[in-house]
Amino acid sequence: MSKLPTEQAIRLYWKANLKWLAILLSIWAFVSLGCGILFVDFLDRFKLPGSNLNLGFWFAQQGSIYCFILLIVAYARIMNRLDRELLEGTGAEEGS
């Protein structure tokens, strides 16, 4: 028989979820907007190693997409860890 998480565990889970969402979305906004548009002139002074592409152009075209995929993977791993720590762990402790 499964146990439901407590109200405190749900609040902690939601609070941690919002904190990680804010952190990861801030990183994504910095990379996609900052590196792809705002700082493109500065970044275009540098070349992507192993190619002839300007770094600002690369961030605007591909870098922000790669960063977004990495952030999705990080979010999934963080949420899985939070599930185990806060929601599943609470139910197991109450059952014993």
Side-chain angles (χ1 to χ4, degrees):
M1 184 173 174
S2 67
K3 297 274 184 178
L4 293 175
T6 63
E7 285 293 321
Q8 181 183 10
I10 292 171
R11 265 190 243 115
L12 287 173
Y13 179 83
W14 187 240
K15 186 176 178 181
N17 187 5
L18 290 178
K19 179 187 84 172
W20 280 108
L21 274 176
I23 291 169
L24 295 174
L25 286 177
S26 297
I27 293 170
W28 182 58
F30 174 76
V31 171
S32 64
L33 181 67
C35 295
I37 296 172
L38 297 176
F39 308 123
V40 69
D41 292 332
F42 173 75
L43 291 172
D44 277 345
R45 295 180 196 167
F46 307 102
K47 298 285 183 190
L48 186 68
S51 71
N52 198 20
L53 294 174
N54 294 333
L55 194 57
F57 175 78
W58 184 81
F59 266 108
Q61 296 300 313
Q62 295 177 351
S64 59
I65 295 170
Y66 290 145
C67 180
F68 186 67
I69 291 170
L70 290 175
L71 291 175
I72 290 172
V73 171
Y75 179 74
R77 298 183 115 208
I78 291 168
M79 288 299 106
N80 283 337
R81 189 189 62 185
L82 283 176
D83 285 348
R84 282 192 306 270
E85 289 177 3
L86 296 177
L87 298 182
E88 294 172 3
T90 305
E93 291 172 2
E94 289 178 355
S96 58

